[in-house]
Amino acid sequence: MRSGRRLWTQLSRDKGGMTGFIIVLFFLLLAVGVWAGVLGQDWSVANGGRWESPGAEFWFGTNLLGQDVFQRSIFSVRTAFEIGIVVAVLSTFVGAILGALAGWYSNTWVDGTVLWLMGVLDSIPFYLFVAAVAFALQGNAWAMQLAMIATFWTTTGRLIRAEVMKIKSREFILSARAIGLPDPLILTRHVLPNTTHILLVQTSIAFVAAIKTEVILSFLGLGVHDGVSWGLMLAESTQEVLAGHFGNFLAASLMLFTLVMGFNLLTDALQDAFDPKQAAL
Amino acid sequence: MSKPVLTVRNLRVSIRSQDAPAMAVDGVSFALREGEVLAVVGESGCGKTKTAESLMGLLPTDTWDVQADAIELDGVNLPMQNEREMRKIRGQEISMIFQEPQTALDPVFTIGNQLCSIYRRHRNKNRKEATLAALDMLQQVGFADPRRILHSYPHQLSGGMRQRVMISMAMACRPRVLIADEPTTALDVTTQAQVLSRMTLLGREFGTSILLITHDLGIVAQYCDRVLVMHAGRIIEKATVHELFTDPQQSYTRRLLAAVPQVRTA
């Protein structure tokens, strides 16, 4: 669409954005490494003693069961990315479709229904909603993701609805109708592509939000059940920190902090780079 | 005298409203003859644009009420057609260009992409044939290097170039009627001349009748055959261009002509 090269030049001039980009890229490589079976494979092996101190063999020490904390924190990158990507892509997709329909058919029953649905979902306290979904889908590994998608799409939906209402009154939509294009084609070919800047930024925001939410939910015992995540590590650490073992706590919070900060820097830079008002300068 | 291509009888357009309906167009009748350039002149808000949009069937029916005894295009009564048939007629039989070339093209696609999609949709051409037809069409509206234009995005072109692209899109299917709604108001005078002469030239070549909406009497004098003068939703005078400038019948027309600033040498 808008030329990728210009986007890149703008991004590379932004120091914060580049830092964020490099951090995200680094974490992405870690995740790929875990997927490929190269990194963090020994996360569940208990080959050390209980609560060993950080050292050459175990960089962040070991936990209660003698598992390597560093290996666990690396494997958690994969958990975070899997949840982040699934939730970000699907929630943005749902938000784009429903938001576009509401905006295109504004002031009709379609719009009314979508707005009503958004209102209902937004009015339920989030953690209560997740707990309810998790309870309803007992044991289902996707309960957490489903709950996040069901609530995250509303923000994107509202933004897209407003943008579509703006775009549909622009003259190129009128001229598309004047040359005889049917409505569905205008919506998919000319309206939605004009909202890509919002969709990209919303995807990256949803990604960070999903990772943070996963940590909180896992900490509360509503999230990841099989496998490991930073949230589970933090939950373990609540007992350990009092006893003076900081391995789990430090490893999980440092990783989470770095990734979220890197992603926020990147998102900010993307937002600036995509802003049509700036691009016009 | 050549036969009429588009006949409009007693067109009425009003805003749907709880209290008294406001008439934007109040009983307009006229005939557009084959191959002619017919001007519609009048001040802002006199109903020129609403007349054009109602002919195209582009006014949203929830806010606008359009009624007419007849809008006949080559003997086909347009208000009797359903939306599917209207889509076939729009772009193929009757098409329209708008005032603002800045916003009339989709900013995220290349010119080639947008122009080719017309050929593919209305003429069932494949990608290669559509590209060739698009190149040819761009050449006809006066681009020396159509291949570069084809790969350009709208923001890379000037206002005059964009308006010529719009003309090429509107004329792509050699329509019977082209409605041009103040096509050059947003352009400077030299570009204006270039765009209008291309448009009228193509019209003559393709046998397309042009309904040119404008408030610029200089354009009327130079490019049009006949004139309709509109005021407050009605046509108050019909005349050939020559008659209008030499012998205006209505006092409103005379005032309109007098409102054009003149350069006088003392």
Side-chain angles (χ1 to χ4, degrees):
Chain A
M1 311 281 160
R2 227 175 296 247
S3 63
R5 191 172 300 163
R6 209 184 62 208
L7 192 69
W8 174 249
T9 22
Q10 192 147 10
L11 197 62
S12 57
R13 265 194 238 124
D14 188 334
K15 272 197 193 118
M18 273 320 273
T19 315
F21 182 70
I22 289 166
I23 292 174
V24 171
L25 204 65
F26 174 70
F27 273 91
L28 185 67
L29 286 177
L30 285 183
V32 171
V34 178
W35 272 314
V38 185
L39 293 170
Q41 298 304 301
D42 297 333
W43 64 275
S44 65
V45 181
N47 54 357
R50 169 184 295 194
W51 288 327
E52 276 188 39
S53 300
E57 193 184 354
F58 306 113
W59 291 4
F60 278 89
T62 59
N63 67 0
L64 173 77
L65 301 172
Q67 295 163 320
D68 186 346
V69 169
F70 180 68
Q71 291 274 341
R72 289 168 73 79
S73 71
I74 293 292
F75 191 84
S76 300
V77 175
R78 171 186 139 165
T79 314
F81 265 76
E82 274 176 0
I83 290 164
I85 290 170
V86 168
V87 171
V89 169
L90 288 180
S91 69
T92 310
F93 181 75
V94 174
I97 298 296
L98 290 181
L101 283 176
W104 186 254
Y105 298 106
S106 56
N107 294 321
T108 65
W109 64 269
V110 180
D111 188 27
T113 313
V114 173
L115 279 179
W116 174 82
L117 196 61
M118 286 177 183
V120 169
L121 288 170
D122 284 348
S123 66
I124 306 171
F126 178 63
Y127 294 105
L128 193 68
F129 183 73
V130 180
V133 172
F135 185 73
L137 301 171
Q138 271 185 1
N140 191 318
W142 294 95
M144 175 176 53
Q145 282 89 330
L146 202 71
M148 283 197 235
I149 293 165
T151 46
F152 282 8
W153 70 269
T154 55
T155 319
T156 314
R158 280 180 209 282
L159 286 171
I160 295 296
R161 174 176 177 269
E163 188 71 11
V164 167
M165 285 169 74
K166 195 176 91 190
I167 292 169
K168 78 172 177 181
S169 63
R170 302 259 304 266
E171 279 200 333
F172 66 86
I173 299 302
L174 197 62
S175 50
R177 294 182 59 211
I179 55 175
L181 296 190
D183 275 12
L185 201 67
I186 296 177
L187 191 56
T188 50
R189 280 250 357 219
H190 292 292
V191 177
L192 274 179
N194 271 290
T195 62
T196 36
H197 59 292
I198 294 180
L199 293 179
L200 265 168
V201 171
Q202 279 305 114
T203 313
S204 59
I205 289 175
F207 185 84
V208 176
I211 288 177
K212 284 198 290 190
T213 310
E214 180 271 321
V215 169
I216 295 168
L217 290 176
S218 298
F219 181 80
L220 294 173
L222 291 168
V224 174
H225 291 297
D226 31 37
V228 63
S229 92
W230 295 323
L232 288 180
M233 292 170 67
L234 286 173
E236 275 179 21
S237 78
T238 49
Q239 304 300 317
E240 304 169 346
V241 168
L242 292 174
H245 307 292
F246 293 98
N248 262 328
F249 174 70
L250 283 178
S253 11
L254 271 178
M255 295 285 258
L256 177 66
F257 172 74
T258 318
L259 177 59
V260 169
M261 193 190 63
F263 226 97
N264 282 345
L265 286 172
L266 180 66
T267 307
D268 269 358
L270 277 182
Q271 219 150 7
D272 288 345
F274 271 118
D275 191 345
K277 280 170 217 132
Q278 292 211 336
L281 293 178
Chain B
M1 192 133 294
S2 48
K3 67 176 169 59
V5 180
L6 180 71
T7 316
V8 178
R9 274 200 302 276
N10 197 14
L11 175 70
R12 299 176 305 281
V13 179
S14 58
I15 301 174
R16 285 185 202 275
S17 150
Q18 251 80 34
D19 30 82
M23 295 296 274
V25 179
D26 190 3
V28 160
S29 306
F30 65 91
L32 179 64
R33 296 179 196 136
E34 193 147 27
E36 77 171 343
V37 181
L38 177 63
V40 181
V41 295
E43 63 196 35
S44 297
C46 71
K48 297 171 299 198
T49 299
K50 290 301 154 211
T51 304
E53 287 178 352
S54 59
L55 294 182
M56 294 289 291
L58 284 177
L59 289 173
T61 48
D62 52 342
T63 40
W64 294 94
D65 184 27
V66 178
Q67 295 193 6
D69 293 351
I71 302 175
E72 278 181 10
L73 180 69
D74 279 329
V76 178
N77 198 0
L78 296 186
M80 301 294 289
Q81 308 302 307
N82 61 29
E83 183 57 30
R84 177 189 290 266
E85 279 155 349
M86 265 318 280
R87 280 204 298 270
K88 266 188 229 156
I89 292 168
R90 280 187 217 130
Q92 294 211 78
E93 303 294 331
I94 179 167
S95 68
M96 184 164 177
I97 53 182
F98 299 89
Q99 186 168 348
E100 289 285 339
Q102 268 74 8
T103 54
L105 289 162
D106 189 335
V108 301
F109 293 109
T110 59
I111 304 301
N113 190 320
Q114 300 183 51
L115 186 51
C116 289
S117 72
I118 298 175
Y119 286 109
R120 300 182 67 176
R121 172 155 198 87
H122 283 314
R123 289 282 179 266
N124 288 321
K125 289 183 192 256
N126 64 32
R127 192 179 290 269
K128 210 172 161 191
E129 292 167 341
T131 308
L132 285 176
L135 282 173
D136 181 52
M137 196 64 217
L138 286 173
Q139 209 150 24
Q140 299 217 44
V141 289
F143 286 111
D145 47 356
R147 205 163 281 278
R148 188 175 66 84
I149 303 297
L150 212 60
H151 293 115
S152 302
Y153 286 90
H155 72 270
Q156 295 168 311
L157 305 180
S158 71
M161 289 162 103
R162 268 180 282 203
Q163 198 59 290
R164 279 188 284 154
V165 169
M166 285 310 294
I167 292 172
S168 72
M169 289 175 71
M171 296 292 271
C173 293
R174 302 182 173 234
R176 298 284 288 149
V177 174
L178 174 70
I179 300 174
D181 185 5
E182 311 223 12
T184 55
T185 306
L187 306 175
D188 65 66
V189 182
T190 33
T191 326
Q192 219 171 52
Q194 193 187 21
V195 168
L196 286 171
S197 53
R198 281 293 164 184
M199 188 175 80
T200 43
L201 208 71
L202 266 187
R204 229 167 296 150
E205 199 180 314
F206 290 179
T208 302
S209 312
I210 299 174
L211 189 68
L212 180 64
I213 297 170
T214 181
H215 56 244
D216 186 337
L217 289 163
I219 290 177
V220 174
Q222 210 171 342
Y223 296 100
C224 301
D225 303 313
R226 288 191 309 133
V227 193
L228 309 173
V229 181
M230 272 187 87
H231 179 59
R234 294 167 193 270
I235 291 177
I236 56 165
E237 183 158 357
K238 298 182 191 186
T240 66
V241 169
H242 184 73
E243 285 165 7
L244 188 87
F245 282 93
T246 51
D247 183 24
Q249 298 298 307
Q250 298 286 327
S251 65
Y252 177 77
T253 314
R254 281 196 289 275
R255 276 184 286 143
L256 205 60
L257 288 169
V260 178
Q262 310 254 327
V263 180
R264 291 206 184 96
T265 44

